[in-house]
Amino acid sequence: MEPEESPSRPLIDEIHSNGDIGVDEPSRSKRPIISSGEQLDVEAYASLYQGRTKIMRLLFIADHCEGNPGMRLEALRMAYDEIKKGENTQIFREVVQKIDGKIGLDYVMDSVWCDMVDRRAEQKKEKLENELNAYRTNLIKESIRMGYNDFGDFYYAHGALGDAFKSYVRTRDYCTTSKHIIHMCMSAILVSIEMGQFTHVTSYVSKAEQSSEALDPITASKLRCAAGLAHLEAKKYKLAARKFLEAGPELGSHYNEVIAPQDVATYGGLCALASFDRTELKHKVIDNDNFRNFLELVPEVRELISDFYSSHYASCLDYLGNLKANLLLDIHLHDHVESLYDQIRNKALIQYTHPFVSVDLRMMANAFKTSIAGLEKELEALITDNQIQARIDSHNKILYARHADQRNATFQRVLQTGSEFDRDVRSMLLRANLIKHEYNLRASRKL
């Protein structure tokens, strides 16, 4: 490789040393690389959440690990136990059907429980309707608000998300304080996330943030996480990263009905890697004290971000490869894993080639643990897409950078500046002569 004459010599040295895979790095050998065969601990994962999202995440794992029947049955068993703590008989019947008697007699259809819950639900619904009608007759705004809110909670508990959303939104007309409006927004956001209606999430996050009352740190962090999920779903990874990075450590497990702090680190870290440049990655992620608290919960993400910034691409890609199977089981991230991974890898390739006039593709292939033919195809795509200014010598396996002629570019800028200066001076002289001979004044007198 022939490095350019550039002040960023330490970076070049780091990249060059990374290409030489024979270099012994004692300090890096101590870093824990997670095993590629490490399976998701379903029980530990589920313990991070509560409520409906815990059940839905378990069912998502069960539906997306067809090649691992043990994990699938474990997820269904835990979902069965969790559902029995609530009142959603519809989803209970679906889980029993999926289990299909494969776990044992303790996990079969419980018709007695379903009938009891449904009967109790009918009684509670009738009671809530009577109370709400009485409140509306008396025209007590606070009582009506509470009545609709209770209806929202009732529908949410029984899985009727559409009705729950309508009930929560109806409380808006009866909100008398900023706290009431924020509570309504948070309830609407929760149900919208469960329904996958992320346009509603963005709308109600905005309404809550515009509240006249200052938000407490926990609520502010919840809103940022909700906005981050909405941007993630829309594939606006840079905006998503910014929102997750703004979440404060006070969030803790206060929002585990939607997202765990480990998720904030993973979603924020991967979105930042895919969309931030080196400067942003340094200032907004690595030097971010608040976000570092989240990263400490997921050491693999912390290490891969550090490796990416330090240009240790082989190690970074190892971490990404080891995390991939588990990330594909994440209910919010699974649709974005391939896209994020491609963007991160492309950024690594661009960052690797940037400081050099020429790059030996053999060394680069070793650094990225790929074949030379595969690397050539990736570089061809980036060159075609105008992301790398270079050309490939396929015979000698060398990438030559097409750097602009700095000398010629400087002369062009000087000539352009001179032309602009000449034009400006002529304009000023013309204006001065017009004023001197009172041209405008005379014209106005003739009129």
Side-chain angles (χ1 to χ4, degrees), residues 385-424:
D385 200 32
N386 211 30
Q387 294 189 56
I388 293 180
Q389 304 296 322
R391 53 193 173 84
I392 299 172
D393 181 347
S394 293
H395 179 69
N396 295 314
K397 304 301 178 188
I398 295 175
L399 179 79
Y400 291 102
R402 285 179 178 167
H403 293 293
D405 186 340
Q406 297 295 334
R407 182 185 179 88
N408 184 52
T410 302
F411 281 130
Q412 292 296 331
R413 284 199 301 271
V414 169
L415 289 171
Q416 184 181 352
T417 304
S419 298
E420 291 172 357
F421 178 76
D422 181 67
R423 182 194 64 206
D424 293 343

mmCIF file of all heavy atoms in Angstrom, residues 385-424:
data_model
loop_
_atom_site.group_PDB
_atom_site.id
_atom_site.type_symbol
_atom_site.label_atom_id
_atom_site.label_comp_id
_atom_site.label_asym_id
_atom_site.label_seq_id
_atom_site.Cartn_x
_atom_site.Cartn_y
_atom_site.Cartn_z
ATOM 1 N N ASP A 385 -21.462 3.144 -7.452
ATOM 2 C CA ASP A 385 -22.381 4.016 -6.709
ATOM 3 C C ASP A 385 -21.726 5.345 -6.330
ATOM 4 O O ASP A 385 -22.318 6.148 -5.611
ATOM 5 C CB ASP A 385 -22.853 3.279 -5.441
ATOM 6 C CG ASP A 385 -24.131 3.874 -4.886
ATOM 7 O OD1 ASP A 385 -24.943 4.374 -5.694
ATOM 8 O OD2 ASP A 385 -24.320 3.848 -3.659
ATOM 9 N N ASN A 386 -20.472 5.530 -6.786
ATOM 10 C CA ASN A 386 -19.725 6.774 -6.552
ATOM 11 C C ASN A 386 -19.416 7.022 -5.067
ATOM 12 O O ASN A 386 -19.208 8.148 -4.650
ATOM 13 C CB ASN A 386 -20.499 7.975 -7.115
ATOM 14 C CG ASN A 386 -19.558 9.073 -7.591
ATOM 15 O OD1 ASN A 386 -18.438 8.788 -8.019
ATOM 16 N ND2 ASN A 386 -19.995 10.308 -7.505
ATOM 17 N N GLN A 387 -19.367 5.942 -4.280
ATOM 18 C CA GLN A 387 -19.015 6.089 -2.872
ATOM 19 C C GLN A 387 -17.505 5.984 -2.652
ATOM 20 O O GLN A 387 -16.991 6.440 -1.637
ATOM 21 C CB GLN A 387 -19.741 5.024 -2.036
ATOM 22 C CG GLN A 387 -21.249 5.202 -2.028
ATOM 23 C CD GLN A 387 -21.918 4.282 -1.026
ATOM 24 O OE1 GLN A 387 -21.604 4.291 0.168
ATOM 25 N NE2 GLN A 387 -22.846 3.469 -1.495
ATOM 26 N N ILE A 388 -16.816 5.323 -3.577
ATOM 27 C CA ILE A 388 -15.351 5.258 -3.550
ATOM 28 C C ILE A 388 -14.847 5.773 -4.892
ATOM 29 O O ILE A 388 -15.290 5.313 -5.947
ATOM 30 C CB ILE A 388 -14.848 3.814 -3.318
ATOM 31 C CG1 ILE A 388 -15.213 3.325 -1.912
ATOM 32 C CG2 ILE A 388 -13.331 3.740 -3.507
ATOM 33 C CD1 ILE A 388 -14.754 1.908 -1.624
ATOM 34 N N GLN A 389 -13.942 6.751 -4.845
ATOM 35 C CA GLN A 389 -13.336 7.292 -6.062
ATOM 36 C C GLN A 389 -12.061 6.502 -6.333
ATOM 37 O O GLN A 389 -10.989 6.815 -5.823
ATOM 38 C CB GLN A 389 -13.016 8.782 -5.876
ATOM 39 C CG GLN A 389 -14.197 9.647 -5.488
ATOM 40 C CD GLN A 389 -15.262 9.691 -6.561
ATOM 41 O OE1 GLN A 389 -14.964 9.721 -7.745
ATOM 42 N NE2 GLN A 389 -16.522 9.677 -6.146
ATOM 43 N N ALA A 390 -12.197 5.435 -7.127
ATOM 44 C CA ALA A 390 -11.033 4.571 -7.357
ATOM 45 C C ALA A 390 -11.264 3.709 -8.596
ATOM 46 O O ALA A 390 -12.347 3.702 -9.177
ATOM 47 C CB ALA A 390 -10.788 3.690 -6.134
ATOM 48 N N ARG A 391 -10.216 2.972 -8.997
ATOM 49 C CA ARG A 391 -10.324 1.989 -10.074
ATOM 50 C C ARG A 391 -9.558 0.737 -9.639
ATOM 51 O O ARG A 391 -8.615 0.812 -8.834
ATOM 52 C CB ARG A 391 -9.773 2.551 -11.384
ATOM 53 C CG ARG A 391 -8.373 3.111 -11.283
ATOM 54 C CD ARG A 391 -8.009 3.920 -12.521
ATOM 55 N NE ARG A 391 -6.714 4.598 -12.353
ATOM 56 C CZ ARG A 391 -5.540 4.021 -12.591
ATOM 57 N NH1 ARG A 391 -5.495 2.771 -13.002
ATOM 58 N NH2 ARG A 391 -4.420 4.693 -12.429
ATOM 59 N N ILE A 392 -9.969 -0.402 -10.168
ATOM 60 C CA ILE A 392 -9.394 -1.681 -9.740
ATOM 61 C C ILE A 392 -8.529 -2.257 -10.848
ATOM 62 O O ILE A 392 -8.960 -2.355 -12.007
ATOM 63 C CB ILE A 392 -10.509 -2.687 -9.380
ATOM 64 C CG1 ILE A 392 -11.351 -2.156 -8.218
ATOM 65 C CG2 ILE A 392 -9.919 -4.043 -9.020
ATOM 66 C CD1 ILE A 392 -12.582 -3.002 -7.919
ATOM 67 N N ASP A 393 -7.302 -2.616 -10.472
ATOM 68 C CA ASP A 393 -6.428 -3.374 -11.362
ATOM 69 C C ASP A 393 -6.652 -4.847 -11.040
ATOM 70 O O ASP A 393 -6.048 -5.392 -10.106
ATOM 71 C CB ASP A 393 -4.967 -2.967 -11.131
ATOM 72 C CG ASP A 393 -3.988 -3.708 -12.055
ATOM 73 O OD1 ASP A 393 -4.426 -4.692 -12.687
ATOM 74 O OD2 ASP A 393 -2.817 -3.313 -12.120
ATOM 75 N N SER A 394 -7.535 -5.503 -11.805
ATOM 76 C CA SER A 394 -7.920 -6.885 -11.494
ATOM 77 C C SER A 394 -6.771 -7.864 -11.684
ATOM 78 O O SER A 394 -6.715 -8.899 -11.015
ATOM 79 C CB SER A 394 -9.102 -7.326 -12.368
ATOM 80 O OG SER A 394 -10.251 -6.601 -12.037
ATOM 81 N N HIS A 395 -5.851 -7.538 -12.594
ATOM 82 C CA HIS A 395 -4.728 -8.455 -12.849
ATOM 83 C C HIS A 395 -3.763 -8.481 -11.661
ATOM 84 O O HIS A 395 -3.384 -9.548 -11.170
ATOM 85 C CB HIS A 395 -3.993 -8.041 -14.119
ATOM 86 C CG HIS A 395 -2.807 -8.909 -14.438
ATOM 87 N ND1 HIS A 395 -2.934 -10.230 -14.844
ATOM 88 C CD2 HIS A 395 -1.462 -8.654 -14.369
ATOM 89 C CE1 HIS A 395 -1.729 -10.744 -15.020
ATOM 90 N NE2 HIS A 395 -0.823 -9.804 -14.736
ATOM 91 N N ASN A 396 -3.369 -7.291 -11.198
ATOM 92 C CA ASN A 396 -2.416 -7.211 -10.083
ATOM 93 C C ASN A 396 -3.090 -7.143 -8.721
ATOM 94 O O ASN A 396 -2.418 -7.086 -7.696
ATOM 95 C CB ASN A 396 -1.515 -5.986 -10.260
ATOM 96 C CG ASN A 396 -0.626 -6.086 -11.485
ATOM 97 O OD1 ASN A 396 -0.009 -7.126 -11.717
ATOM 98 N ND2 ASN A 396 -0.584 -5.027 -12.290
ATOM 99 N N LYS A 397 -4.432 -7.126 -8.716
ATOM 100 C CA LYS A 397 -5.217 -7.077 -7.470
ATOM 101 C C LYS A 397 -4.846 -5.859 -6.622
ATOM 102 O O LYS A 397 -4.510 -5.971 -5.436
ATOM 103 C CB LYS A 397 -5.040 -8.364 -6.658
ATOM 104 C CG LYS A 397 -5.382 -9.642 -7.403
ATOM 105 C CD LYS A 397 -6.827 -9.622 -7.893
ATOM 106 C CE LYS A 397 -7.182 -10.869 -8.691
ATOM 107 N NZ LYS A 397 -8.513 -10.777 -9.336
ATOM 108 N N ILE A 398 -4.918 -4.690 -7.259
ATOM 109 C CA ILE A 398 -4.608 -3.442 -6.557
ATOM 110 C C ILE A 398 -5.725 -2.435 -6.838
ATOM 111 O O ILE A 398 -6.223 -2.347 -7.971
ATOM 112 C CB ILE A 398 -3.245 -2.861 -7.001
ATOM 113 C CG1 ILE A 398 -2.109 -3.804 -6.583
ATOM 114 C CG2 ILE A 398 -3.015 -1.476 -6.407
ATOM 115 C CD1 ILE A 398 -0.744 -3.385 -7.078
ATOM 116 N N LEU A 399 -6.108 -1.719 -5.816
ATOM 117 C CA LEU A 399 -7.093 -0.648 -5.944
ATOM 118 C C LEU A 399 -6.353 0.682 -5.985
ATOM 119 O O LEU A 399 -5.597 1.000 -5.061
ATOM 120 C CB LEU A 399 -8.064 -0.685 -4.753
ATOM 121 C CG LEU A 399 -9.148 0.395 -4.728
ATOM 122 C CD1 LEU A 399 -10.283 0.025 -5.676
ATOM 123 C CD2 LEU A 399 -9.700 0.583 -3.311
ATOM 124 N N TYR A 400 -6.548 1.453 -7.055
ATOM 125 C CA TYR A 400 -5.908 2.760 -7.196
ATOM 126 C C TYR A 400 -6.934 3.863 -6.967
ATOM 127 O O TYR A 400 -7.983 3.887 -7.621
ATOM 128 C CB TYR A 400 -5.294 2.918 -8.585
ATOM 129 C CG TYR A 400 -4.102 2.032 -8.835
ATOM 130 C CD1 TYR A 400 -4.226 0.868 -9.588
ATOM 131 C CD2 TYR A 400 -2.857 2.353 -8.299
ATOM 132 C CE1 TYR A 400 -3.138 0.042 -9.811
ATOM 133 C CE2 TYR A 400 -1.751 1.539 -8.516
ATOM 134 C CZ TYR A 400 -1.901 0.375 -9.266
ATOM 135 O OH TYR A 400 -0.815 -0.432 -9.475
ATOM 136 N N ALA A 401 -6.627 4.768 -6.066
ATOM 137 C CA ALA A 401 -7.542 5.873 -5.767
ATOM 138 C C ALA A 401 -7.485 6.920 -6.863
ATOM 139 O O ALA A 401 -6.421 7.189 -7.434
ATOM 140 C CB ALA A 401 -7.186 6.501 -4.427
ATOM 141 N N ARG A 402 -8.642 7.480 -7.170
ATOM 142 C CA ARG A 402 -8.705 8.585 -8.135
ATOM 143 C C ARG A 402 -8.870 9.880 -7.368
ATOM 144 O O ARG A 402 -9.964 10.419 -7.257
ATOM 145 C CB ARG A 402 -9.900 8.400 -9.071
ATOM 146 C CG ARG A 402 -9.718 7.336 -10.120
ATOM 147 C CD ARG A 402 -10.981 7.227 -10.966
ATOM 148 N NE ARG A 402 -10.819 6.251 -12.010
ATOM 149 C CZ ARG A 402 -11.827 5.775 -12.741
ATOM 150 N NH1 ARG A 402 -13.046 6.216 -12.503
ATOM 151 N NH2 ARG A 402 -11.621 4.891 -13.673
ATOM 152 N N HIS A 403 -7.793 10.353 -6.824
ATOM 153 C CA HIS A 403 -7.851 11.598 -6.063
ATOM 154 C C HIS A 403 -7.770 12.791 -7.003
ATOM 155 O O HIS A 403 -7.054 12.764 -8.014
ATOM 156 C CB HIS A 403 -6.720 11.661 -5.037
ATOM 157 C CG HIS A 403 -6.871 10.634 -3.953
ATOM 158 N ND1 HIS A 403 -7.880 10.670 -3.038
ATOM 159 C CD2 HIS A 403 -6.133 9.527 -3.671
ATOM 160 C CE1 HIS A 403 -7.764 9.644 -2.209
ATOM 161 N NE2 HIS A 403 -6.714 8.932 -2.590
ATOM 162 N N ALA A 404 -8.491 13.809 -6.679
ATOM 163 C CA ALA A 404 -8.494 15.014 -7.523
ATOM 164 C C ALA A 404 -7.108 15.652 -7.554
ATOM 165 O O ALA A 404 -6.345 15.555 -6.596
ATOM 166 C CB ALA A 404 -9.516 16.002 -6.984
ATOM 167 N N ASP A 405 -6.789 16.293 -8.695
ATOM 168 C CA ASP A 405 -5.520 17.010 -8.840
ATOM 169 C C ASP A 405 -5.607 18.279 -7.989
ATOM 170 O O ASP A 405 -6.234 19.270 -8.389
ATOM 171 C CB ASP A 405 -5.304 17.349 -10.320
ATOM 172 C CG ASP A 405 -3.933 17.969 -10.570
ATOM 173 O OD1 ASP A 405 -3.336 18.479 -9.599
ATOM 174 O OD2 ASP A 405 -3.491 17.963 -11.728
ATOM 175 N N GLN A 406 -4.980 18.248 -6.808
ATOM 176 C CA GLN A 406 -5.085 19.361 -5.874
ATOM 177 C C GLN A 406 -4.490 20.649 -6.447
ATOM 178 O O GLN A 406 -5.022 21.741 -6.236
ATOM 179 C CB GLN A 406 -4.372 18.999 -4.552
ATOM 180 C CG GLN A 406 -4.983 17.813 -3.812
ATOM 181 C CD GLN A 406 -6.390 18.112 -3.326
ATOM 182 O OE1 GLN A 406 -6.750 19.268 -3.105
ATOM 183 N NE2 GLN A 406 -7.206 17.078 -3.183
ATOM 184 N N ARG A 407 -3.404 20.513 -7.207
ATOM 185 C CA ARG A 407 -2.744 21.702 -7.779
ATOM 186 C C ARG A 407 -3.691 22.388 -8.775
ATOM 187 O O ARG A 407 -3.903 23.605 -8.716
ATOM 188 C CB ARG A 407 -1.449 21.264 -8.473
ATOM 189 C CG ARG A 407 -0.633 22.403 -9.077
ATOM 190 C CD ARG A 407 0.564 21.823 -9.837
ATOM 191 N NE ARG A 407 1.368 22.874 -10.451
ATOM 192 C CZ ARG A 407 2.354 23.515 -9.862
ATOM 193 N NH1 ARG A 407 2.654 23.227 -8.607
ATOM 194 N NH2 ARG A 407 3.046 24.435 -10.488
ATOM 195 N N ASN A 408 -4.281 21.582 -9.664
ATOM 196 C CA ASN A 408 -5.195 22.126 -10.662
ATOM 197 C C ASN A 408 -6.447 22.717 -10.006
ATOM 198 O O ASN A 408 -6.928 23.787 -10.406
ATOM 199 C CB ASN A 408 -5.585 21.026 -11.650
ATOM 200 C CG ASN A 408 -6.458 21.545 -12.771
ATOM 201 O OD1 ASN A 408 -6.125 22.525 -13.434
ATOM 202 N ND2 ASN A 408 -7.598 20.899 -12.974
ATOM 203 N N ALA A 409 -6.965 22.010 -8.986
ATOM 204 C CA ALA A 409 -8.166 22.484 -8.294
ATOM 205 C C ALA A 409 -7.905 23.829 -7.609
ATOM 206 O O ALA A 409 -8.758 24.723 -7.611
ATOM 207 C CB ALA A 409 -8.613 21.452 -7.265
ATOM 208 N N THR A 410 -6.671 23.994 -7.055
ATOM 209 C CA THR A 410 -6.321 25.256 -6.394
ATOM 210 C C THR A 410 -6.270 26.410 -7.395
ATOM 211 O O THR A 410 -6.791 27.498 -7.153
ATOM 212 C CB THR A 410 -4.956 25.122 -5.680
ATOM 213 O OG1 THR A 410 -5.029 24.047 -4.743
ATOM 214 C CG2 THR A 410 -4.598 26.403 -4.953
ATOM 215 N N PHE A 411 -5.650 26.138 -8.571
ATOM 216 C CA PHE A 411 -5.591 27.181 -9.609
ATOM 217 C C PHE A 411 -7.001 27.562 -10.066
ATOM 218 O O PHE A 411 -7.297 28.745 -10.300
ATOM 219 C CB PHE A 411 -4.766 26.698 -10.810
ATOM 220 C CG PHE A 411 -3.279 26.795 -10.590
ATOM 221 C CD1 PHE A 411 -2.436 25.716 -10.831
ATOM 222 C CD2 PHE A 411 -2.703 27.984 -10.138
ATOM 223 C CE1 PHE A 411 -1.069 25.809 -10.623
ATOM 224 C CE2 PHE A 411 -1.337 28.091 -9.934
ATOM 225 C CZ PHE A 411 -0.520 26.997 -10.173
ATOM 226 N N GLN A 412 -7.875 26.586 -10.231
ATOM 227 C CA GLN A 412 -9.246 26.854 -10.661
ATOM 228 C C GLN A 412 -9.983 27.732 -9.657
ATOM 229 O O GLN A 412 -10.713 28.656 -10.021
ATOM 230 C CB GLN A 412 -10.002 25.534 -10.876
ATOM 231 C CG GLN A 412 -9.519 24.704 -12.047
ATOM 232 C CD GLN A 412 -9.729 25.405 -13.382
ATOM 233 O OE1 GLN A 412 -10.657 26.206 -13.550
ATOM 234 N NE2 GLN A 412 -8.842 25.140 -14.330
ATOM 235 N N ARG A 413 -9.787 27.429 -8.368
ATOM 236 C CA ARG A 413 -10.433 28.231 -7.321
ATOM 237 C C ARG A 413 -9.907 29.662 -7.323
ATOM 238 O O ARG A 413 -10.665 30.622 -7.137
ATOM 239 C CB ARG A 413 -10.212 27.587 -5.939
ATOM 240 C CG ARG A 413 -11.089 26.371 -5.686
ATOM 241 C CD ARG A 413 -11.172 26.061 -4.192
ATOM 242 N NE ARG A 413 -9.863 25.800 -3.613
ATOM 243 C CZ ARG A 413 -9.294 24.601 -3.571
ATOM 244 N NH1 ARG A 413 -9.907 23.545 -4.112
ATOM 245 N NH2 ARG A 413 -8.113 24.437 -3.027
ATOM 246 N N VAL A 414 -8.585 29.823 -7.532
ATOM 247 C CA VAL A 414 -7.977 31.162 -7.579
ATOM 248 C C VAL A 414 -8.552 31.957 -8.749
ATOM 249 O O VAL A 414 -8.912 33.137 -8.608
ATOM 250 C CB VAL A 414 -6.444 31.062 -7.688
ATOM 251 C CG1 VAL A 414 -5.840 32.434 -7.996
ATOM 252 C CG2 VAL A 414 -5.860 30.505 -6.398
ATOM 253 N N LEU A 415 -8.634 31.334 -9.936
ATOM 254 C CA LEU A 415 -9.174 32.011 -11.109
ATOM 255 C C LEU A 415 -10.634 32.404 -10.897
ATOM 256 O O LEU A 415 -11.061 33.505 -11.277
ATOM 257 C CB LEU A 415 -9.057 31.105 -12.347
ATOM 258 C CG LEU A 415 -7.637 30.900 -12.885
ATOM 259 C CD1 LEU A 415 -7.625 29.811 -13.964
ATOM 260 C CD2 LEU A 415 -7.089 32.207 -13.465
ATOM 261 N N GLN A 416 -11.404 31.517 -10.282
ATOM 262 C CA GLN A 416 -12.810 31.810 -10.018
ATOM 263 C C GLN A 416 -12.953 32.982 -9.048
ATOM 264 O O GLN A 416 -13.774 33.890 -9.248
ATOM 265 C CB GLN A 416 -13.514 30.569 -9.454
ATOM 266 C CG GLN A 416 -15.012 30.771 -9.243
ATOM 267 C CD GLN A 416 -15.671 29.532 -8.667
ATOM 268 O OE1 GLN A 416 -15.059 28.484 -8.549
ATOM 269 N NE2 GLN A 416 -16.935 29.660 -8.296
ATOM 270 N N THR A 417 -12.125 32.968 -8.001
ATOM 271 C CA THR A 417 -12.157 34.061 -7.022
ATOM 272 C C THR A 417 -11.779 35.395 -7.686
ATOM 273 O O THR A 417 -12.390 36.434 -7.415
ATOM 274 C CB THR A 417 -11.181 33.759 -5.860
ATOM 275 O OG1 THR A 417 -11.521 32.504 -5.279
ATOM 276 C CG2 THR A 417 -11.254 34.842 -4.794
ATOM 277 N N GLY A 418 -10.757 35.355 -8.585
ATOM 278 C CA GLY A 418 -10.354 36.559 -9.294
ATOM 279 C C GLY A 418 -11.471 37.107 -10.170
ATOM 280 O O GLY A 418 -11.717 38.320 -10.215
ATOM 281 N N SER A 419 -12.188 36.208 -10.862
ATOM 282 C CA SER A 419 -13.303 36.626 -11.725
ATOM 283 C C SER A 419 -14.411 37.262 -10.904
ATOM 284 O O SER A 419 -14.995 38.288 -11.305
ATOM 285 C CB SER A 419 -13.845 35.424 -12.494
ATOM 286 O OG SER A 419 -12.858 34.886 -13.333
ATOM 287 N N GLU A 420 -14.721 36.648 -9.751
ATOM 288 C CA GLU A 420 -15.765 37.197 -8.896
ATOM 289 C C GLU A 420 -15.368 38.572 -8.359
ATOM 290 O O GLU A 420 -16.202 39.484 -8.272
ATOM 291 C CB GLU A 420 -16.040 36.225 -7.730
ATOM 292 C CG GLU A 420 -16.716 34.922 -8.168
ATOM 293 C CD GLU A 420 -16.811 33.911 -7.044
ATOM 294 O OE1 GLU A 420 -16.289 34.206 -5.931
ATOM 295 O OE2 GLU A 420 -17.382 32.826 -7.254
ATOM 296 N N PHE A 421 -14.072 38.728 -7.997
ATOM 297 C CA PHE A 421 -13.585 40.013 -7.485
ATOM 298 C C PHE A 421 -13.675 41.095 -8.569
ATOM 299 O O PHE A 421 -14.116 42.222 -8.320
ATOM 300 C CB PHE A 421 -12.138 39.863 -6.999
ATOM 301 C CG PHE A 421 -11.532 41.133 -6.488
ATOM 302 C CD1 PHE A 421 -11.875 41.629 -5.232
ATOM 303 C CD2 PHE A 421 -10.622 41.865 -7.265
ATOM 304 C CE1 PHE A 421 -11.320 42.818 -4.757
ATOM 305 C CE2 PHE A 421 -10.071 43.043 -6.802
ATOM 306 C CZ PHE A 421 -10.422 43.518 -5.544
ATOM 307 N N ASP A 422 -13.255 40.751 -9.791
ATOM 308 C CA ASP A 422 -13.316 41.693 -10.916
ATOM 309 C C ASP A 422 -14.760 42.140 -11.174
ATOM 310 O O ASP A 422 -15.031 43.332 -11.371
ATOM 311 C CB ASP A 422 -12.742 41.021 -12.169
ATOM 312 C CG ASP A 422 -12.760 41.946 -13.378
ATOM 313 O OD1 ASP A 422 -12.031 42.953 -13.366
ATOM 314 O OD2 ASP A 422 -13.519 41.639 -14.314
ATOM 315 N N ARG A 423 -15.721 41.176 -11.139
ATOM 316 C CA ARG A 423 -17.127 41.497 -11.354
ATOM 317 C C ARG A 423 -17.650 42.427 -10.264
ATOM 318 O O ARG A 423 -18.348 43.415 -10.530
ATOM 319 C CB ARG A 423 -17.942 40.201 -11.379
ATOM 320 C CG ARG A 423 -19.432 40.400 -11.656
ATOM 321 C CD ARG A 423 -20.192 39.138 -11.312
ATOM 322 N NE ARG A 423 -20.070 38.871 -9.872
ATOM 323 C CZ ARG A 423 -20.165 37.655 -9.335
ATOM 324 N NH1 ARG A 423 -20.330 36.591 -10.108
ATOM 325 N NH2 ARG A 423 -20.057 37.486 -8.022
ATOM 326 N N ASP A 424 -17.302 42.127 -9.008
ATOM 327 C CA ASP A 424 -17.773 42.950 -7.889
ATOM 328 C C ASP A 424 -17.225 44.378 -7.963
ATOM 329 O O ASP A 424 -17.949 45.365 -7.702
ATOM 330 C CB ASP A 424 -17.379 42.306 -6.554
ATOM 331 C CG ASP A 424 -18.116 40.996 -6.302
ATOM 332 O OD1 ASP A 424 -19.135 40.750 -6.981
ATOM 333 O OD2 ASP A 424 -17.665 40.213 -5.438
#
